[in-house]
Amino acid sequence: MNTVTVLLLSFILSVTGLGIFIWSLRRNMFDDNPEAASVIFSTGEIGHVEDPSATSEQRAGLQKVVVQGGKAVIDPSLAGKLQQELRDRIDADQSTAYVSFVFLSCAIVWLVFASAFGLVSSIKLHNPEFLTQYAWLTFGRTRTLHLNMVAYGWCPMAAFGIAIWMLPRLLKTHLYGGRFALLGCMLWNAGLIAGLGSIAVGINDGLEWLEIPWQVSILLVAGGALIALPLVFTLANRKVDHLYVSIWYMGAALFWFPVLYLVGKLPAVHYGVEQATMNWWFGHNVLGLYYTPIALASVYYFLPKIIGRPIQSYNLSLIGFWALAFFYGQVGGHHLVGGPVPHWLITLSIVQSMMMIIPVLAFSVNQHLTMRGHFKTTYYSPTLRFIVLGAMMYTLSSVEGSFEALRSISTVTHFTHFTVAHAHIGLYAFFSIVMFGAIYFVMPRIMNWEWPHPRLISVHFWLVTLGIGVYAVSLSIGGWLQGLDMLDAAKPFMESVLVTIPYLQARTLGGTLMTLGHLVFAVHFTQMALRYGRHRIGPALLHQRKNQPELQAPAGA
């Protein structure tokens, strides 16, 4: 069977499968607020805004925008039933409070350490003599430590913490198996600390994203399995008939990750070219099949909850999920353009990368239609700023990634700083910024306390937004110029290095802004954890109206 036949059959099979799925969905894809999209709301709750990070003035402005948007469905006659369901929600939140707090606390610690090592690594790119007196502070180790602190410290701890918090809310029950998650958290962090120590002393498996020695990785695998158990137990005890799309994304992510990691870390199995193929299969899929689903699950929950209206099209959300599952599995191969791998394998990866535009458009159109007439809410909602910006960056990073896979573009960008910019748009501008917003939403519910200094939330937002903007734009431009110089046979290699220096310095500026934002975030988080500041009841209330006291809920609802 020749290459063209293999690619054509792959394309036809994928499109046919997706077409059958779309056909099986009910008609009128753009129907407003189907029942399935409303399961995240309690009775009579649609039309009520919710942002625990907002001040009383911000909440009032947020509610006004939603009411003016014509989508509010506030029915005071349902207040009694709503009050009981809110009490049940408070009980569910309390069942996750301690477990989620532990995970999020670990995430903050790893974020600070990862930021420090990332900034040091960035400085070394344009100032190689910086901090070279110790072996563990050389670029090869600091950059690897930074990557692993982000990939296995900050990102999964934040994802697990948010996922565990959302589970009981989505399933309208208590969290079951929380102790297993705590034990898994201990094993995971023990394995990560041991793995980082191994990398620092020069012991690693030599594969990007898979540097931690496989003997230590056993702890990560065991920890991840234990952390996933609450999903199974809580699902078995759910009190809802329909599983909201966020559950689909979280369940798939918690299933896909151990499979990916086990295949990637199997000892004495992958060699030579096959090892390189597996490495990029893992490196890309851990982004698209673990971090991405968790972030999308968060967007699909928090965005409609904040503005008090269901997502525009529930069917589009399902199309986005299944298209991601259909098309993402083989996209990593385009990183091997020019390598000694089968030509058809790279071409298949390029085809799959371009087809990823389908789930991206499904998500992007859905979120835009949901926010239509409500974009002014981002002015009043601190949490929504992060969520909406992160969702937009998902569109940008995914479309850019699809076109970057094309040979004509990859020939220029391959092995340049352009790919570093793209990776940070995905894992930072998309995933991390969504997690920031989610943490701002859940911490008042976890701690039954308000954020001590609401202005620090804005400071954090603008520092990280400006930081990643400077970072991504500078590296994208510098990486493209670097690639053009490397393709010019008339220019010596050093010219392709020298042309990047100003852009690497701009990268350090962007990294410094992001690090400052993380420090502001960490200090604010610590103040919240210590219950520092005045207990401002107003902002944490789910419903507060001067003339409707029956709609008031206790702090933490």
Side-chain angles (χ1 to χ4, degrees):
M1 186 177 295
N2 60 37
T3 300
V4 175
T5 303
V6 172
L7 294 175
L8 185 60
L9 288 176
S10 173
F11 179 83
I12 292 174
L13 179 62
S14 297
V15 173
T16 302
L18 185 60
I20 292 174
F21 174 74
I22 295 173
W23 175 82
S24 69
L25 295 174
R26 60 189 178 188
R27 297 178 181 179
N28 300 324
M29 186 181 303
F30 291 94
D31 277 354
D32 284 346
N33 304 330
E35 183 179 353
S38 302
V39 298
I40 63 173
F41 296 96
S42 298
T43 303
E45 190 181 13
I46 295 176
H48 295 289
V49 300
E50 179 181 5
D51 186 355
S53 67
T55 63
S56 299
E57 293 76 13
Q58 289 172 328
R59 282 198 71 257
L62 181 61
Q63 184 68 61
K64 182 179 179 180
V65 172
V66 171
V67 172
Q68 290 176 342
K71 299 295 184 180
V73 189
I74 301 174
D75 187 352
S77 66
L78 299 174
K81 187 173 182 180
L82 171 60
Q83 191 73 11
Q84 180 57 49
E85 293 188 8
L86 292 180
R87 292 192 188 98
D88 295 338
R89 182 186 294 173
I90 293 171
D91 292 338
D93 286 351
Q94 290 175 346
S95 71
T96 62
Y98 182 72
V99 179
S100 292
F101 176 74
V102 170
F103 277 98
L104 296 180
S105 298
C106 293
I108 299 300
V109 172
W110 289 120
L111 176 65
V112 172
F113 278 105
S115 302
F117 278 92
L119 187 56
V120 169
S121 301
S122 180
I123 295 173
K124 285 175 174 290
L125 286 172
H126 55 83
N127 184 12
E129 301 303 318
F130 180 65
L131 294 181
T132 57
Q133 59 269 42
Y134 300 105
W136 68 277
L137 288 176
T138 55
F139 176 80
R141 299 188 191 179
T142 57
R143 191 268 177 187
T144 305
L145 289 169
H146 164 69
L147 172 63
N148 282 268
M149 287 179 186
V150 171
Y152 302 111
W154 152 248
C155 289
M157 289 295 104
F160 287 138
I162 297 301
I164 287 173
W165 185 86
M166 285 196 296
L167 272 176
R169 279 203 164 203
L170 292 167
L171 301 176
K172 297 187 178 181
T173 185
H174 289 273
L175 178 70
Y176 290 83
R179 293 182 178 179
F180 290 104
L182 290 174
L183 178 58
C185 181
M186 294 171 59
L187 290 177
W188 184 288
N189 281 281
L192 180 56
I193 292 171
L196 294 173
S198 300
I199 293 171
V201 298
I203 302 173
N204 72 74
D205 282 353
L207 295 174
E208 190 169 13
W209 291 88
L210 293 168
E211 291 92 349
I212 294 177
W214 69 265
Q215 296 89 341
V216 177
S217 297
I218 295 174
L219 292 174
L220 296 181
V221 173
L226 288 170
I227 294 170
L229 288 179
L231 170 68
V232 179
F233 297 149
T234 308
L235 271 172
N237 292 276
R238 68 184 183 274
K239 296 180 182 178
V240 294
D241 295 326
H242 178 80
L243 296 181
Y244 186 66
V245 66
S246 293
I247 292 290
W248 292 44
Y249 276 113
M250 289 190 295
L254 294 176
F255 169 77
W256 282 330
F257 178 77
V259 173
L260 293 170
Y261 199 72
L262 277 173
V263 172
K265 295 301 293 184
L266 284 174
V269 173
H270 310 294
Y271 294 100
V273 172
E274 188 270 335
Q275 186 182 57
T277 305
M278 179 281 302
N279 189 191
W280 277 113
W281 170 83
F282 173 84
H284 232 289
N285 284 338
V286 75
L287 291 171
L289 298 180
Y290 177 60
Y291 300 127
T292 294
I294 294 291
L296 294 181
S298 301
V299 174
Y300 271 118
Y301 179 78
F302 291 110
L303 188 147
K305 286 291 290 182
I306 292 170
I307 65 175
R309 62 162 301 197
I311 56 174
Q312 178 71 21
S313 172
Y314 194 73
N315 290 338
L316 269 182
S317 70
L318 298 182
I319 291 173
F321 172 82
W322 285 108
L324 178 72
F326 273 122
F327 301 142
Y328 204 94
Q330 299 299 325
V331 301
H334 69 263
H335 285 278
L336 299 170
V337 170
V341 295
H343 193 74
W344 66 264
L345 180 64
I346 296 175
T347 304
L348 174 62
S349 175
I350 295 172
V351 171
Q352 296 287 78
S353 296
M354 293 304 297
M355 294 181 70
M356 273 299 297
I357 293 176
I358 294 175
V360 173
L361 286 181
F363 171 82
S364 303
V365 169
N366 207 5
Q367 299 310 309
H368 177 78
L369 292 177
T370 303
M371 285 294 296
R372 185 175 54 184
H374 293 77
F375 281 100
K376 193 177 178 180
T377 54
T378 58
Y379 176 79
Y380 297 104
S381 172
T383 297
L384 198 59
R385 294 171 202 161
F386 288 94
I387 299 295
V388 170
L389 177 61
M392 290 179 175
M393 291 301 102
Y394 171 64
T395 304
L396 174 62
S397 65
S398 298
V399 173
E400 181 187 59
S402 294
F403 283 94
E404 189 180 348
L406 297 174
R407 282 187 174 87
S408 58
I409 298 177
S410 182
T411 300
V412 179
T413 62
H414 204 40
F415 300 126
T416 71
H417 295 294
F418 189 96
T419 59
V420 179
H422 170 66
H424 281 75
I425 293 173
L427 194 56
Y428 189 88
F430 165 46
F431 176 85
S432 293
I433 285 182
V434 168
M435 289 298 105
F436 291 148
I439 292 172
Y440 279 122
F441 187 101
V442 307
M443 277 299 289
R445 301 292 185 239
I446 290 173
M447 300 302 300
N448 194 25
W449 199 261
E450 320 323 314
W451 288 101
H453 305 291
R455 290 186 179 180
L456 290 183
I457 302 177
S458 294
V459 173
H460 176 209
F461 174 81
W462 288 112
L463 282 173
V464 298
T465 300
L466 292 174
I468 189 59
V470 172
Y471 188 106
V473 171
S474 61
L475 284 192
S476 296
I477 297 173
W480 187 265
L481 296 177
Q482 178 189 15
L484 293 177
D485 280 359
M486 286 196 295
L487 290 174
D488 189 346
K491 292 184 178 181
F493 176 76
M494 280 307 299
E495 286 197 25
S496 69
V497 176
L498 294 175
V499 74
T500 64
I501 299 300
Y503 302 98
L504 293 176
Q505 292 170 339
R507 165 188 171 149
T508 297
L509 174 61
T512 301
L513 292 174
M514 288 188 285
T515 300
L516 289 175
H518 301 161
L519 293 176
V520 170
F521 181 43
V523 169
H524 204 189
F525 183 94
T526 303
Q527 290 179 333
M528 162 73 89
L530 297 176
R531 295 180 180 272
Y532 173 81
R534 182 165 58 90
H535 188 187
R536 302 185 321 278
I537 296 176
L541 291 182
L542 180 59
H543 306 298
Q544 182 179 8
R545 302 185 184 286
K546 294 180 181 179
N547 300 323
Q548 297 181 17
E550 71 274 9
L551 288 182
Q552 292 185 1

